[in-house]
């Protein structure tokens, strides 16, 4: 994978209107979409009435769809904070994974998400990969207990201790 002009090359692109402002991302935030299919999730995030978005959506089949350039602020984190910073939308790239919240993630989906994260980490000064639950505890639980953190944290942290 390769990023050019803040977009992944070779993936589907469908622009969301739910964005605004320039960012320099330092976090990747993992989410699940709570949708039964990728089309409805992407339709929702590209509908101006929803007021939600993410930079990427990854289907259960591993299909990656980009909704906004990585240097543009998307509306995925809501009220959030981490390491003394508030409003994580202004500091992060949001990745939505197709999952209703209780499903095991597919290998195709996780492999695609790892490849995407590795590419993003190679392009931007990413400090950590976090879950929505990390930055909005008590309010959000995604990406859920079934998310394989042991495969993602080592992309950033050499000695991952099992805690996000």
């Amino acid at each position: 994978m390769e990023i050019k002009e803040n977009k992944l090359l070779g993936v589907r692109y469908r622009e969301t209107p739910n964005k605004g402002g320039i960012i320099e991302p330092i976090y990747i935030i993992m989410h699940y979409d709570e949708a039964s299919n990728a089309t409805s999730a992407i339709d929702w995030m590209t509908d101006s009435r929803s007021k939600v978005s993410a930079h990427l959506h990854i289907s259960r089949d591993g299909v990656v769809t980009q909704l906004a350039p990585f240097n543009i602020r998307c509306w995925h984190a809501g009220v959030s904070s981490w390491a003394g910073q508030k409003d994580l939308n202004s500091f992060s790239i949001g990745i939505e994974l197709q999952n209703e919240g209780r499903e095991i993630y597919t290998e195709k989906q996780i492999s695609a998400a790892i490849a995407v994260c590795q590419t993003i980490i190679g392009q931007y000064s990413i400090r950590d990969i976090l879950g929505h639950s990390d930055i909005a505890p008590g309010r959000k639980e995604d990406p859920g207990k079934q998310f394989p953190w042991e495969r993602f944290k080592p992309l950033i942290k050499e000695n991952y201790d099992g805690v996000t």
Side-chain angles (χ1 to χ4, degrees):
M1 291 189 145
E2 185 180 346
I3 295 172
K4 187 171 184 178
E5 297 177 2
N6 297 291
K7 294 180 182 175
L8 279 173
L9 298 180
V11 302
R12 293 175 31 184
Y13 190 85
R14 186 165 164 200
E15 189 82 21
T16 182
N18 304 324
K19 63 187 184 330
I22 303 294
I23 65 168
E24 291 184 27
I26 56 173
Y27 299 111
I28 297 171
I29 310 298
M30 305 303 293
H31 303 265
Y32 58 59
D33 63 13
E34 295 187 72
S36 61
N37 63 72
T39 301
S40 66
I42 292 166
D43 286 349
W44 181 244
M45 289 188 289
T46 56
D47 185 330
S48 61
R49 294 171 295 176
S50 74
K51 307 236 185 284
V52 297
S53 60
H55 293 87
L56 299 175
H57 182 273
I58 303 175
S59 75
R60 293 187 64 74
D61 293 329
V63 175
V64 178
T65 303
Q66 188 160 3
L67 306 172
F70 295 126
N71 68 331
I72 300 296
R73 183 181 187 275
C74 282
W75 305 341
H76 58 93
V79 176
S80 54
S81 64
W82 185 258
Q85 292 178 306
K86 295 187 183 306
D87 181 28
L88 272 282
N89 285 331
S90 296
F91 304 99
S92 63
I93 292 170
I95 300 176
E96 293 276 352
L97 301 170
Q98 182 190 345
N99 190 304
E100 291 183 84
R102 59 189 175 273
E103 301 164 291
I104 300 297
Y105 292 95
T106 69
E107 185 54 37
K108 285 181 182 180
Q109 187 175 42
I110 294 303
S111 293
I114 289 170
V116 162
C117 286
Q118 288 172 321
T119 303
I120 292 169
I121 291 164
Q123 184 78 28
Y124 302 95
S125 298
I126 301 298
R127 295 181 191 167
D128 209 346
I129 302 171
L130 303 166
H132 201 181
S133 57
D134 296 318
I135 64 169
R139 187 173 69 81
K140 293 294 182 175
E141 60 183 43
D142 55 313
K145 293 177 183 175
Q146 65 280 21
F147 187 78
W149 284 113
E150 71 282 357
R151 295 181 64 187
F152 284 81
K153 286 295 187 172
L155 300 175
I156 297 286
K157 298 180 179 189
E158 193 171 307
N159 298 310
Y160 173 56
D161 62 5
V163 178
T164 60

